[in-house]
Amino acid sequence: MPPRPDFRARGHAEFPAAVPPGALADLRAACDALLAEPADDGGDGTHRIGLGRARQFLAHRHEEFPAVERFLLGPEMAAVVEACLGTPGYLFNEQFVVKGAGSGASFAWHQDGAYVGFDHTPYLTVWIALDDATEENGCVYLLARDLDRQPGLEPHVWQEASNELNGYDGDAPGTPMTAAAGDVVAFSSLTLHRSGENRTPRPRRAYVCQYSAEPLLDPATGRPKRFAKPVGEAPASA
Ligand SMILES: O=C(O)CCC(=O)C(=O)O
């Protein structure tokens, strides 16, 4: 199936209520179990992008939660990825992103591909709201991008004070991607996005999983970056 034209033209697509209630409960339970551990300023191994409890990344732990792994590789995610990439593809990365209650931590404008560190084919980020995401609690904001006309990465500058890359200095506020828990916002690794502060008394939980059309191989090692798990095939642990 070819990618959805609206995804190619805007760099993102919404999939309301794409996560079934049972899977949403599984994801929340996994997130809460990881949150109960001591805070770690985690990131992707190259960039340490956490900010303690204010902005927490709980990464690469899905194999400890078989129901989460089944969901990541299962039919709902396969449908989302196929709609955007034209193939169910491969899971290569996943992390919970939690903005702590009343956290002043936003997340700067960036393209996810800027964090990869080597040339690669653009991929898909599937952002899943585990709590209703609002402008008050730190939803994602996107700048629409025509993927065929604007195919590249912008220059990004590391921000020492806030532990993040910044890839956009313009004035556009972006489109707030408010979402109900269980909604999916899928966007290209080329799509500039940011997220706001959580000004509410409750944490804002999200799950970010990333899929590539082909395994994303690190040229330094010849091995997949993180994972290369085909979507639509039952995991070995199931
Ligand atoms: O969930 C968020 O606040 C934003 C996460 C994000 O932009 C990312 O993981 O690339």
Side-chain angles (χ1 to χ4, degrees), residues 109-111 114 152-158 165-169 192:
W109 284 113
H110 64 281
Q111 294 162 297
L153 288 176
E154 309 296 335
H156 284 63
V157 179
W158 181 252
L165 289 170
N166 182 26
Y168 177 68
D169 282 328
L192 278 160

Side-chain angles (χ1 to χ4, degrees), residues 49 55 57 95 97-99 107-108 110 112 115 125 127 138-140 187 193-196 204 206 208 210:
I49 54 179
R55 189 179 76 202
F57 296 84
Q95 59 194 10
V97 185
V98 181
K99 297 270 182 74
F107 200 28
H110 64 281
D112 283 343
Y115 280 98
T125 292
W127 189 95
C139 72
V140 167
F187 49 91
H193 60 284
R194 67 179 177 97
S195 67
R204 190 235 63 187
V208 170
Q210 295 176 319

